[in-house]
Amino acid sequence: MELAEQIFNIQSEEDFNQAALQVFQYQAKNIAVYKQYLDILKVDINHIQHYRQIPFMPIQFFKTQEIITSGLEAEITFSSSGTTGMVSSQHLVADKKWYERSFQLAFEQFYGDVKDMAILALLPSYLERTGSSLIYMVDDLIYRSEQAESGYFLYNHDELYDRLMELQEKGIKTVLFGVTYALLDFVEQFKISFPELIVMETGGMKGKRKEMIREELHDILSQGFGVSKIHSEYGMTELLSQGYSNGDGHFFTPNWMKVLIRDTNDPLTLIDHKKTGAINVIDLANYHSCSFIATQDLGKYHDDGSFEILGRFDNSDIRGCNLLVQ
C-alpha cells in the first residue's frame, strides 16, 4: 500500500506505530535539519522500535530553519501571525494535496460531509494577512460546501447576523469558524438563539482583548449564540492536521495524529498520561517537513484519548531545546 494511503487509513495502534516508524525513517534520512538534530542527540535510528522512542524536534526550528525533504521545493509556504518584532514560523509544504487530504478527512471524521453544511468564517485577523493555513483550509471548505450562503465576514456583523437567521430558518446545518476576539465582538452587538449552530472558536486574542480562561470565554459565547457548547480547533502553522473539541475543551485527533506529554524539565523524556506537561505532537501528514514536534503548549492527556491545553510557556522556559536554534 502506498504510504499516503497507509497514513490516512490508520485503524489501530499497530497501524499507527508502523506508519510512524516508516515516516521517521524517511525523515531521519531526508529532512536535513531533523537529521542534524538526531546526529547531535547521537540517536541510532535503527534502534527506534516504537513511536514513543522517536525524538521530537523543537517547534522553534520552524522559525530559523528550512524544514523540507531534500531536493523538493515548497508548493506553498504557511506562516504564523506572530506579534510585531517576533520571528514568524515558516512551514514549507512540498505537496498541498497532503494538507488538503488531511484537513478534509479530519473535518469529515468529526463533522460530516461539508457539502451538506454552510461554512461561515469570521476571521478578520487571518484574512488581513497572507500565509494562513487556517484560511487555506476554510477556503477549501467553503468551496466544497454546496450551500450558497457559505462565505467570509470581516467586520460586517449585521450581514453575519442576517445570514445566521436565514440559515436557521432554512434548517441548514451551519458551522461558524471564528477568531476569539471577533466572536466576542459579535455577541456584544447581537444576541441570538441558534441551538443547532456549531461555533468553532479558533483561538487568538492577539492583543485585541484581555486574555480570559476558556470556561469564562465559552460561557459568554454560549449565551451570545444560544448554544449549549462552543467547539474549538487545535491547529498551528507547523502542523497539517487539526484536533477538534466538541465543547468541553478536550480535543480529539484524527487517526494519523497523536499527542504525547513530555517532562518540561527534561524535553527528551515522556511522562505518564494524566500528568501535566509539555505537548509533543505526531502529525504523519507532515510527511515532507517533520512529523515529530515538541510544541510550546502545556497540556494533559486523558484516558479517553483526548487532550486539553492548559497554557503555553515561552522560550526562556524551554530547557534543552536550544540546539540549532540560532
Side-chain angles (χ1 to χ4, degrees), residues 112-132:
D113 193 335
V114 71
K115 77 177 192 301
D116 300 323
M117 62 187 79
I119 302 294
L120 307 182
L122 185 62
L123 301 166
S125 54
Y126 289 93
L127 281 173
E128 292 166 345
R129 69 177 185 85
T130 58
S132 166

Side-chain angles (χ1 to χ4, degrees), residues 184 205 207-212 216:
L184 288 169
M205 290 295 195
K208 302 281 187 178
R209 284 172 170 260
K210 73 175 180 68
E211 296 288 340
M212 60 177 71
E216 178 188 4

Side-chain angles (χ1 to χ4, degrees), residues 24 37-48 53 55:
F24 168 70
Y37 181 63
L38 295 173
D39 288 345
I40 290 170
L41 294 178
K42 295 181 168 52
V43 174
D44 183 343
I45 64 173
N46 296 314
H47 285 177
I48 303 292
Q53 300 171 322

Side-chain angles (χ1 to χ4, degrees), residues 54-100:
I54 294 172
F56 288 76
M57 187 184 78
I59 198 167
Q60 305 97 295
F61 287 11
F62 283 90
K63 293 183 177 182
T64 61
Q65 312 290 324
E66 291 195 350
I67 301 168
I68 191 169
T69 297
S70 298
L72 294 185
E73 294 184 0
E75 275 192 350
I76 191 169
T77 298
F78 294 128
S79 58
S80 61
S81 54
T83 53
T84 304
M86 286 183 62
V87 178
S88 295
S89 290
Q90 303 284 320
H91 191 171
L92 280 59
V93 180
D95 187 347
K96 292 186 292 188
K97 293 296 180 188
W98 278 85
Y99 182 40
E100 292 166 6

Side-chain angles (χ1 to χ4, degrees), residues 202-261:
T202 64
M205 290 295 195
K206 300 297 182 191
K208 302 281 187 178
R209 284 172 170 260
K210 73 175 180 68
E211 296 288 340
M212 60 177 71
I213 61 171
R214 178 182 55 81
E215 290 80 4
E216 178 188 4
L217 167 66
H218 283 200
D219 185 54
I220 293 170
L221 294 179
S222 293
Q223 291 184 41
F225 286 102
V227 297
S228 60
K229 56 190 179 179
I230 301 296
H231 295 236
S232 302
E233 182 237 18
Y234 180 77
M236 58 184 71
T237 300
E238 299 86 355
L239 302 177
L240 296 184
S241 302
Q242 305 78 30
Y244 289 101
S245 163
N246 65 1
D248 58 2
H250 288 202
F251 292 89
F252 289 88
T253 58
N255 295 344
W256 55 91
M257 181 183 183
K258 201 177 281 285
V259 161
L260 304 173
I261 307 297

Side-chain angles (χ1 to χ4, degrees), residues 95-212:
D95 187 347
K96 292 186 292 188
K97 293 296 180 188
W98 278 85
Y99 182 40
E100 292 166 6
R101 186 98 181 269
S102 177
F103 69 66
Q104 288 169 4
L105 287 173
F107 187 82
E108 184 173 335
Q109 177 180 330
F110 292 108
Y111 293 101
D113 193 335
V114 71
K115 77 177 192 301
D116 300 323
M117 62 187 79
I119 302 294
L120 307 182
L122 185 62
L123 301 166
S125 54
Y126 289 93
L127 281 173
E128 292 166 345
R129 69 177 185 85
T130 58
S132 166
S133 57
L134 175 63
I135 293 297
Y136 189 97
M137 178 179 82
V138 174
D139 274 347
D140 181 81
L141 295 177
I142 289 173
Y143 174 77
R144 291 188 305 111
S145 163
E146 295 182 359
Q147 310 305 317
E149 296 83 359
S150 294
Y152 285 101
F153 299 83
L154 272 168
Y155 301 100
N156 45 338
H157 292 170
D158 293 14
E159 189 180 340
L160 174 57
Y161 173 82
D162 292 341
R163 189 72 53 86
L164 287 168
M165 294 299 94
E166 177 188 354
L167 288 162
Q168 184 179 22
E169 189 175 333
K170 290 181 177 178
I172 295 173
K173 183 176 181 180
T174 303
V175 179
L176 170 62
F177 283 88
V179 65
T180 307
Y181 77 85
L183 293 173
L184 288 169
D185 288 348
F186 178 82
V187 298
E188 284 179 358
Q189 189 176 358
F190 295 98
K191 190 178 175 78
I192 65 175
S193 180
F194 191 167
E196 303 80 20
L197 176 66
I198 296 172
V199 179
M200 183 72 68
E201 178 240 333
T202 64
M205 290 295 195
K206 300 297 182 191
K208 302 281 187 178
R209 284 172 170 260
K210 73 175 180 68
E211 296 288 340
M212 60 177 71

Side-chain angles (χ1 to χ4, degrees), residues 7 20-36 38 45 54-55 57 67-70 282-293:
I7 286 172
L21 291 175
Q22 276 190 263
V23 172
F24 168 70
Q25 288 289 332
Y26 174 82
Q27 293 182 346
K29 296 168 185 172
N30 293 286
I31 310 292
V33 175
Y34 189 48
K35 182 179 187 301
Q36 187 182 355
L38 295 173
I45 64 173
I54 294 172
M57 187 184 78
I67 301 168
I68 191 169
T69 297
S70 298
I282 300 177
D283 180 7
L284 298 182
N286 273 20
Y287 182 68
H288 288 298
S289 52
C290 184
S291 292
F292 312 96
I293 298 174

